[in-house]
Amino acid sequence: MALFEQMRANVGKLLRGIDRYNPENLATLERYVETQAKENAYDLEANLAVLKLYQFNPAFFQTTVTAQILLKALTNLPHTDFTLCKSRFPRLLRPQQEERPIRQILYLGELLETCHFQSFWQALDENMELLDGITGFEDSVRKFICHVVGITYQHIDRWLLAEMLGDLSDAQLKVWMSKYGWTETEPGKIFICNQEESIKPKNIVEKIDFDSVSSIMASSL
């Protein structure tokens, strides 16, 4: 993480002002993306700058770097980073989207965003080479899945939760249950939370005085 922090300060200077769109900075920014992947760190602003430079300079497009940026964006779900990164793909880069790594990552992102978690793990298992050089990807995805489970379920079958988290072993599942405070209230059933207690009612008070509507009333006469 020390290298990431050191590079982050330097990259921050590069991204100030018009110099952020200088293609001569691409080599530095691409190394920074690789460092993020290795050290399980993340800098969305810098990664978007890389995609913007590819947009302006299609000849410099790097499939491997783009794949790393997309995978890192997936680790930050449920935030919209993945959508932001996809939006930087101009028409000039459409052919590159059909390259296998990019195509597969876009498919994985679609599965995650639509909560088809079992299908996601199956597809990932068939494309594990995508994660070469990416540290912490699977656990970051599991955090997102746990977030979805936490706001969706009151109780969930133990086998289903294990499958949603990537066919975890019993010991691995217990670690994630402990992390989120989930308990097995009866054999095979896991208590997540009482969703009714999680709902916070909000009172909406509309305050409209006569002065604020008098002009409207006058104009309608």
Side-chain angles (χ1 to χ4, degrees):
M1 189 67 77
L3 178 58
F4 167 76
E5 293 298 339
Q6 179 181 348
M7 293 190 71
R8 187 174 193 172
N10 294 331
V11 167
K13 296 176 183 177
L14 291 179
L15 295 181
R16 294 195 187 108
I18 197 171
D19 206 40
R20 69 186 291 131
Y21 300 125
N22 185 346
E24 294 181 1
N25 293 331
L26 258 176
T28 299
L29 292 171
E30 288 168 343
R31 287 195 300 271
Y32 186 48
V33 171
E34 183 179 348
T35 300
Q36 293 176 55
K38 288 181 178 179
E39 297 193 6
N40 196 17
Y42 188 51
D43 189 333
L44 175 62
E45 181 185 4
N47 295 349
L48 290 175
V50 173
L51 295 179
K52 178 62 75 173
L53 282 167
Y54 288 159
Q55 188 175 0
F56 290 155
N57 308 274
F60 295 151
F61 180 86
Q62 294 291 330
T63 299
T64 301
V65 175
T66 303
Q68 290 176 329
I69 289 174
L70 290 173
L71 287 169
K72 290 302 297 182
L74 284 178
T75 65
N76 207 36
L77 284 168
H79 298 286
T80 59
D81 300 19
F82 190 66
T83 300
L84 283 172
C85 289
K86 288 192 297 182
S87 72
R88 294 296 173 100
F89 284 178
R91 292 179 181 176
L92 288 173
L93 296 186
R94 295 301 178 191
Q96 281 87 338
Q97 289 189 45
E98 295 304 316
E99 294 187 18
R100 189 175 183 276
I102 306 300
R103 186 176 69 250
Q104 292 299 325
I105 294 169
L106 293 176
Y107 176 59
L108 291 173
E110 180 183 345
L111 292 174
L112 282 178
E113 290 177 324
T114 55
C115 298
H116 290 86
F117 299 132
Q118 291 98 318
S119 297
F120 164 81
W121 291 112
Q122 181 179 354
L124 181 63
D125 188 56
E126 297 169 357
N127 297 275
M128 286 301 292
E129 71 279 359
L130 293 174
L131 301 188
D132 290 346
I134 307 288
T135 302
F137 177 82
E138 292 164 291
D139 279 350
S140 294
V141 169
R142 289 188 178 103
K143 290 178 183 178
F144 165 62
I145 295 173
C146 286
H147 164 76
V148 174
V149 169
I151 63 175
T152 306
Y153 289 88
Q154 292 192 136
H155 294 84
I156 187 172
D157 290 331
R158 187 185 186 93
W159 68 267
L160 177 57
L161 181 61
E163 276 195 5
M164 292 172 72
L165 292 175
D167 283 326
L168 296 184
S169 67
D170 187 62
Q172 291 171 322
L173 183 60
K174 286 180 178 178
V175 170
W176 285 93
M177 288 171 58
S178 175
K179 181 179 179 69
Y180 287 90
W182 299 339
T183 56
E184 189 167 9
T185 53
E186 57 182 278
K189 290 285 186 181
I190 297 175
F191 175 71
I192 303 299
C193 72
N194 188 331
Q195 295 294 347
E196 293 180 358
E197 292 180 356
S198 300
I199 298 174
K200 297 180 179 180
K202 183 177 181 180
N203 294 325
I204 301 176
V205 179
E206 296 184 0
K207 184 178 180 181
I208 303 177
D209 54 32
F210 179 77
D211 289 338
S212 62
V213 298
S214 59
S215 60
I216 300 174
M217 294 172 62
S219 63
S220 64
L221 295 177

